[in-house]
Amino acid sequence: MPPSPALPASFQRLAWSNLTAQSAEQIALAAAPIVAVLALGVGEGETGLLQTALTAPFVLFAIPAGLLADRMKRRRLMALAETLRALALLAILIALAGGVLTLPLLAALGFAAVCGTVVFSVAAPALVPSLVAPAQLAPANARIELARTIAFAGGPAVGGMLVGWIGGAPAFGCAAALSLIAAICLSGIAEPDRAPLPRRHPLADIREGATFVLRHPLLRPVFMTQFIFNTAHFLLLAVFVPYAVHRLGLSAGGIGTVLSMFGVGMVCGALLATRILRRLPFGTVIGLGPVTGFAAALVMALTTLIPSPALAAVSFFLLGAGPILWVISTTTLRQSVTPAGLLGRVSAINILSYGARPLGSLLGAILGGRYGADACLYAAAVIFGLQALVILSSPAVAIARQPEPQPA
């Protein structure tokens, strides 16, 4: 496959907007619990409630965001979402600087800020196909994911350092400024017009999007695989820290180093994604992510017999590198097989797979409490094996090349 031409200017603006928006999100997500503990003096249970408030919008508002993304200009919707996030973060800054910030207020404003994140996450993949040629979808998605992985890997560290160096209020101010920059970048995007959808009940629109995904021979196994992967991943994460301390003998710094390999793997995978997609059949790349996830789980399970921090680091590297290829290839697949008028709702259905994350954490709490961490790692390996089996037995892995885009 020959190299695709340079990505157009409108997409470049989207890419920069994505980088600043993702950075704002990660800095704010890192700063919120630190401020809650250091400035508000809350304990572990209360920080757990804060984290719930900061993750709930992904389940509650993904579908409404998808409906909006299919009924209005996606660029405008994303700009409004970033403005909402900036205003919420500025309100946290003002409340903190004025000494009136409380945990319920922090949770409420954080909830509002994450609602902006959800809208951006749903609308951005739906906007990309209107800005680039079909042959450029994979490189464009790789660019988007590279920005996300850089923010994911560096944002928490930057957020923690900002709080430590200059305080919580300036840290939220920095995140708010990044959100405003993201909104400004979006204002310069020339988004083509789409045919308006017929007016009907929102439930009919939701049913149309869900039916499309669940009946599509390629998208259905992709959704199932992603849901199972999230369950297994968060089952592993739920027990890793105590396991690392008690069985691997790691200090806090050692745990941070091992966990950082996940971000390193994501960045490496995103950097190599375009080359891999040029050299391998499209379906093979789709299968690489789940298979690599299974391999990572087996390596982690091996640490129960060989308690090596190096093996744990390899496991997290694989968990980052392989699945990022999955995200890029399956996002390209969804954009190719989904009509333009359905892209927002289909993206929203994909976001709903995040609902498996608390399920995996709960499973870790139950299994870990009753049978110990070893049982959790073995169960995670089995579940990772199941998600690999689902995708490998589907027609998605047999696709030779990226499908032709569907008409609106």
Side-chain angles (χ1 to χ4, degrees):
M1 182 188 299
S4 57
L7 294 165
S10 285
F11 174 79
Q12 300 289 356
R13 295 187 72 91
L14 174 62
W16 281 111
S17 173
N18 177 67
L19 177 60
T20 52
Q22 297 285 356
S23 299
E25 175 195 9
Q26 292 301 321
I27 289 172
L29 287 177
I34 297 174
V35 166
V37 172
L38 298 182
L40 305 180
V42 305
E44 289 85 351
E46 292 166 308
T47 56
L49 293 175
L50 176 62
Q51 291 299 332
T52 300
L54 298 179
T55 55
F58 282 96
V59 177
L60 296 177
F61 294 115
I63 293 298
L67 293 175
L68 290 173
D70 283 341
R71 290 199 168 272
M72 62 184 291
K73 285 280 190 180
R74 289 159 182 162
R75 173 194 60 78
R76 183 179 302 123
L77 177 63
M78 294 163 67
L80 290 172
E82 282 307 299
T83 303
L84 170 64
R85 176 158 53 186
L87 291 174
L89 294 173
L90 285 172
I92 295 175
L93 182 157
I94 293 170
L96 186 57
V100 297
L101 185 67
T102 62
L103 182 64
L105 181 58
L106 176 61
L109 292 172
F111 182 93
V114 176
C115 288
T117 299
V118 172
V119 172
F120 197 101
S121 300
V122 168
L127 177 59
V128 170
S130 66
L131 303 180
V132 303
Q136 295 177 310
L137 279 177
N141 289 322
R143 173 79 178 273
I144 293 289
E145 287 305 313
L146 178 60
R148 186 175 73 89
T149 56
I150 290 173
F152 185 91
V158 172
M161 287 188 292
L162 285 174
V163 174
W165 290 346
I166 58 177
F172 284 111
C174 176
L178 288 170
S179 279
L180 288 175
I181 292 171
I184 292 170
C185 288
L186 288 165
S187 66
I189 293 176
E191 180 183 355
D193 292 328
R194 302 191 313 274
L197 295 178
R199 289 194 171 275
R200 54 184 177 177
H201 197 282
L203 288 179
D205 281 344
I206 294 171
R207 184 167 54 250
E208 182 183 24
T211 300
F212 183 83
V213 172
L214 297 179
R215 290 185 178 177
H216 198 284
L218 300 177
L219 298 186
R220 182 179 61 252
V222 164
F223 177 81
M224 292 172 58
T225 301
Q226 188 153 311
F227 189 92
I228 299 170
F229 177 93
N230 276 304
T231 302
H233 189 193
F234 277 74
L235 166 59
L236 189 155
L237 289 178
V239 299
F240 177 73
V241 171
Y243 176 78
V245 171
H246 300 306
R247 291 292 298 277
L248 302 181
L250 288 173
S251 64
I255 292 171
T257 299
V258 169
L259 290 175
S260 71
M261 294 305 295
F262 179 74
V264 173
M266 290 177 70
V267 171
C268 291
L271 287 171
L272 294 173
T274 302
R275 294 180 184 178
I276 293 172
L277 282 161
R278 286 178 184 155
R279 286 166 172 75
L280 295 178
F282 190 79
T284 300
V285 180
I286 289 177
L288 274 178
V291 170
T292 307
F294 180 45
L298 291 177
V299 171
M300 185 62 75
L302 183 60
T303 64
T304 63
L305 302 176
I306 306 172
S308 166
L311 285 176
V314 170
S315 176
F316 275 104
F317 179 86
L318 293 174
L319 274 175
I324 201 67
L325 295 175
W326 162 268
V327 172
I328 293 167
S329 58
T330 57
T331 299
T332 303
L333 176 66
R334 275 193 302 275
Q335 293 164 337
S336 299
V337 303
T338 304
L342 267 174
L343 267 172
R345 282 164 286 169
V346 170
S347 294
I349 297 296
N350 174 67
I351 293 293
L352 283 181
S353 67
Y354 292 178
R357 294 176 174 183
L359 175 63
S361 298
L362 177 62
L363 186 58
I366 295 172
L367 283 178
R370 179 166 297 185
Y371 301 108
D374 287 18
C376 291
L377 298 186
Y378 298 147
V382 171
I383 299 172
F384 271 112
L386 176 61
Q387 54 92 43
L389 181 63
V390 168
I391 200 65
L392 291 178
S393 61
S394 77
V397 295
I399 303 173
R401 60 183 61 86
Q402 177 187 325
E404 293 296 322
Q406 295 296 303

